[in-house]
Amino acid sequence: MRRGTLEALIVILSVAASPAVASAQPAGPVQRLQQYGGTNAATARRIARHVHERMTRNAARGGDRYDPLRQALGAALFGGPGRNRAEYDARLREVLARLGRGLTDENLTALFGGQDALACTRLFGLSMQDCDSLGAAAAREDVGVPYIAPDDGAALRNELVTAGLSAAHADEAVSGLGRTLLSVPGSADRSARGRLLTRLLNECPGGLPDLESRIRAWHMGPTPGMARCLVRALGRQGRHAPQLLVRAFGIRAAAVPLLQWAHGQTVRAPQVARAEPPQAAPQPRARSAPRPPRT
């Protein structure tokens, strides 16, 4: 067995055998999220559970390499991965052991005490509001404003239904927009969809000076104003707009009526194809009587 493979196996086994890998979520971070992060109990539990599970899954995966989450915790604990292989392995074992404990008070402080909200969203896929609360809880400083949950899309849904969209189309639009708005910055990658989302992020809403401000605007959720801005931006692509709505937001059946709504047009019900009248089943051809044998 090669040396690198053996060392990787040692790291995996040492973490897997450690009693530090925890499944129970400590109560301390939940209390701190409520006290300093401006959240209610349900929101605090949701945020803490999400972070706790991300950490413990990362530790359970093992391996001999750093990923962004391990790098963040390693930088907070040690300032880096080490100057040689022995130091690298020792630090990684400690990082994995700490991740295996989940969201303890110590890990809350280490991971979020010096983190900005944008870095937090990239690491954990949380909204800016969630990350603000984590930062306040880590620093034991009041977040300054009450926690504001992302818009649930009810106002947008009502506006779409009033404009003539069916309930099913309105639900599809609200779901697709809301899911995508809260997925950035992680989804704004180098893929074709990611590049499209980056372009939309720069357009809606306009006038914001930096990426963090724009992401915060998206993380407010599917409001009618944001939805109208995004759909109009795609509408400027002409006949390709419905396909772009599918690519960006996964909105298929509601694409055309949503474009009509965003541009102030009358929403038309989709054309239902006329059913062809049933055709009579073909009658079997009469078989000719068999010829009598020749005598």
Side-chain angles (χ1 to χ4, degrees), residues 13 22 25 40 55 61 71 201 277:
L13 293 176
Q25 177 186 312
N40 58 32
M55 295 174 71
R61 191 167 67 243
Q71 290 174 10
L201 194 61

Side-chain angles (χ1 to χ4, degrees), residues 127-209:
S127 72
M128 286 289 201
Q129 296 92 324
D130 293 344
C131 288
D132 287 340
S133 293
L134 283 163
R140 297 181 187 271
E141 296 178 354
D142 289 338
V143 72
V145 294
Y147 178 86
I148 301 174
D151 193 289
D152 63 2
L156 174 59
R157 186 184 188 279
N158 290 339
E159 189 166 324
L160 294 176
V161 171
T162 301
L165 274 78
S166 68
H169 285 170
D171 288 340
E172 182 193 15
V174 170
S175 175
L177 286 164
R179 185 172 55 248
T180 304
L181 286 166
L182 293 174
S183 75
V184 298
S187 57
D189 53 24
R190 296 183 179 181
S191 65
R193 178 176 184 260
R195 292 194 300 272
L196 175 58
L197 292 177
T198 298
R199 197 181 77 212
L200 291 173
L201 194 61
N202 292 331
E203 292 189 40
C204 295
L208 294 179

Side-chain angles (χ1 to χ4, degrees), residues 8 11-12 15 57-65 67 70 92 96:
V11 171
I12 295 170
V15 175
R57 283 201 304 268
N58 188 296
R61 191 167 67 243
D64 66 341
R65 296 187 183 279
D67 57 29
R70 297 175 186 185
L92 180 58
L96 289 175

Side-chain angles (χ1 to χ4, degrees), residues 8 26 32 50 52 71 79 81 106 113 153 162 168 245 270:
R32 286 166 66 175
H50 178 90
H52 182 84
Q71 290 174 10
E106 294 80 6
T162 301
L245 271 169

